[in-house]
Amino acid sequence: MRIHYDDSTAFLGDWGPFQRTVFALLCLSMIPNGFTGLSMVFMGDTPAHRCLIPAALNITDEWRNASIPLEEDEENRDSRFSKCSRHRMDVVKNYSDRGLLPWVDVNVSNIPQEGCLDGWEYDTGTYISTIVSEWDLVCSDNWRAPLTTSLFFCGVLTGSVISGQMSDRFGRKKVLFVTMGIQTVFTFIQVFSPSWLIFCLLFFIVGMGQISNYVSGFVLGMEIFSPSIRDIYSTLGVCLFFSIGYMMLPLAAYFLRDWRMLLLVFTIPGIFCMLLWWFIPESPRWLLSQGRVVEAEAILRKAAQMNGVNAPDVIFPLNQVKHTSASNICFCVGYCALSLNTSSLHGNIYLNCFLSAAVEVPALIMAWLMLRRWPRRLCLSSTLSLGGLVLLFIQLIPQHMNYVAFSLVMLGKFGLSAAFSILYPATAELYPTVLRNTALGACSMASRVGSILAPYFIYLGGYYRSLPYILIGSVNILSGLLSILLPESLGSPLPETISHMQTVAGFHPKCVRTHKSQILRAYKSFRFIKPCVHQNLCKIPCVIPSQRKIVRT
């Protein structure tokens, strides 16, 4: 006999002191993820730069000013100083010593050029230092900056694989706090990185912890809260507080222009979040799936005491509990690319980043309202398609209409942020407790492929301004169309075991075959669809276009 967890724990109510406390604490634990995951917007930005002319080189001011050649900027249709070359210093020194004047006595454009043999000088108006200016990740080494971000998301991918299985094996709470500790400790060590290579290695480990604690915390809340609270938790809860962390990023970066100091400040919230261990419980639903009934009931009795209600003498009858061990079994490119690309947008980088984060708040409100009423497939399809379509229009905007292009980017970010917040609960509702964290981690791993590619989508913008938006828009429209094929979980309880997954509409193979054959016959004969013979398994609404009548089986 199957235990209906939500029915067995209904005595707690939906929104008592216990639920409010856990809700608030889990949401607070998400704040560090917001600025850690997108810190490269500022740490990895490339300041304006040009070749260094050594101060010890004894040349006149006229020749020092003429030592950097001018290049045509095809995008802005004007001239700018070269970032990666200079006139040969031995020739310039010779002309200076002879008292000749540039452009008066010498045609400077005919002087041979050379690379930046003495390094670069960087504009310090926006930043004191970034990892780009500290380790000269420019010109022939400019591929290293996007690679740094990609390596972080490689760590995110690895963490998705490992932490999901660990969480289903050892519990949501343990993995949440262990990975939170990894993120905090290795971010602190990263402050003292002596080289770019060490920085990347540590950043990879930080990425492993960052996604792992986010997914574990998300699953923990989904399993603790009742169905009426899950939608608001997954949108206006964890996602909103992730966005709050994201909004804190440009505020901190504005006052801390040195990347090491900025990174050091990022470790402080993580230290405080570690103290929440004594206040956040383990998931009773997970404990029950492991056969640890006494521990699950102890947490629920303490919750009942906090809520001021009486718990039944027996919450989960032992004869109904069956121990089931956990088995092991490209949409993010858009969200990550738009978030990381704020430094390339027209206007102030700090304001752009803040607006990119702030636009997520109304997007999350919209996502919550959609999840309350709309099927998950329709929610995903509409938000992904909205985000993709508006990005395709950017290429049609004239060069001088920067604010129109910026508005379209923000509208695209609005749609993709809503889709991002819908994706996690839609995925979590499809998989059973014994596999939920593993499955969510595996799906997150697949999306990280897009995150890894995202920095290089931005990199392509150096060749053609609208190319990143064309690629991002196309990928997300395709994702929106494919999401229609997903099973529908609206109104279904969270499945506990693998066999219970078949109660989710669209999963059971007999249901799928029955409906396919009925729809085909209905189109041929123009009659209504009969109820599915698998009435205890199938919940798919069937629509006959000619009659426009819905028959629910």
Side-chain angles (χ1 to χ4, degrees), residues 339-464:
S339 299
L340 295 170
N341 194 44
T342 49
S343 60
S344 303
L345 297 175
H346 178 76
N348 183 281
I349 181 176
Y350 301 102
L351 180 60
N352 289 346
C353 185
F354 182 82
L355 292 175
S356 178
V359 78
E360 296 188 3
V361 176
L364 295 175
I365 295 173
M366 185 186 77
W368 170 59
L369 295 173
M370 293 173 70
L371 282 173
R372 294 180 64 191
R373 300 292 182 185
W374 290 15
R376 278 32 176 164
R377 289 179 294 193
L378 181 58
C379 293
L380 269 178
S381 179
S382 58
T383 51
L384 284 170
S385 299
L386 169 65
L389 280 172
V390 295
L391 293 178
L392 290 180
F393 289 127
I394 292 178
Q395 61 180 318
L396 305 177
I397 305 302
Q399 186 73 36
H400 65 278
M401 299 178 66
N402 291 309
Y403 291 102
V404 176
F406 179 82
S407 300
L408 289 178
V409 171
M410 291 298 105
L411 183 57
K413 180 72 184 300
F414 175 90
L416 297 185
S417 298
F420 187 88
S421 64
I422 292 168
L423 188 64
Y424 273 90
T427 304
E429 290 173 354
L430 296 178
Y431 292 96
T433 302
V434 293
L435 279 178
R436 186 168 293 116
N437 219 134
T438 299
L440 202 58
C443 294
S444 178
M445 176 196 70
S447 70
R448 293 315 133 192
V449 175
S451 302
I452 293 169
L453 295 175
Y456 291 97
F457 274 52
I458 301 170
Y459 186 74
L460 293 174
Y463 299 96
Y464 179 58

Side-chain angles (χ1 to χ4, degrees), residues 47-50 120-124 132-138:
H49 58 279
R50 63 180 186 176
W120 289 262
E121 58 178 331
Y122 296 91
D123 175 53
T124 56
V132 173
S133 63
E134 178 152 343
W135 292 308
D136 291 331
L137 308 182
V138 293

Side-chain angles (χ1 to χ4, degrees), residues 135 155 193 254 510-511:
W135 292 308
S193 302
Y254 180 80
K510 291 182 179 180
C511 266

Side-chain angles (χ1 to χ4, degrees), residues 452-492:
I452 293 169
L453 295 175
Y456 291 97
F457 274 52
I458 301 170
Y459 186 74
L460 293 174
Y463 299 96
Y464 179 58
R465 183 179 69 98
S466 299
L467 185 56
Y469 302 114
I470 294 172
L471 294 174
I472 295 168
S474 302
V475 167
N476 283 281
I477 290 174
L478 177 61
S479 300
L481 295 174
L482 291 176
S483 63
I484 298 174
L485 303 177
L486 292 171
E488 182 53 59
S489 59
L490 177 63
S492 301

Side-chain angles (χ1 to χ4, degrees), residues 299-326:
I299 292 173
L300 293 172
R301 293 187 191 284
K302 184 176 180 180
Q305 185 179 5
M306 288 181 63
N307 286 356
V309 297
N310 295 321
D313 295 333
V314 178
I315 300 176
F316 304 114
L318 290 176
N319 62 347
Q320 296 183 19
V321 178
K322 181 180 179 181
H323 173 66
T324 309
S325 13

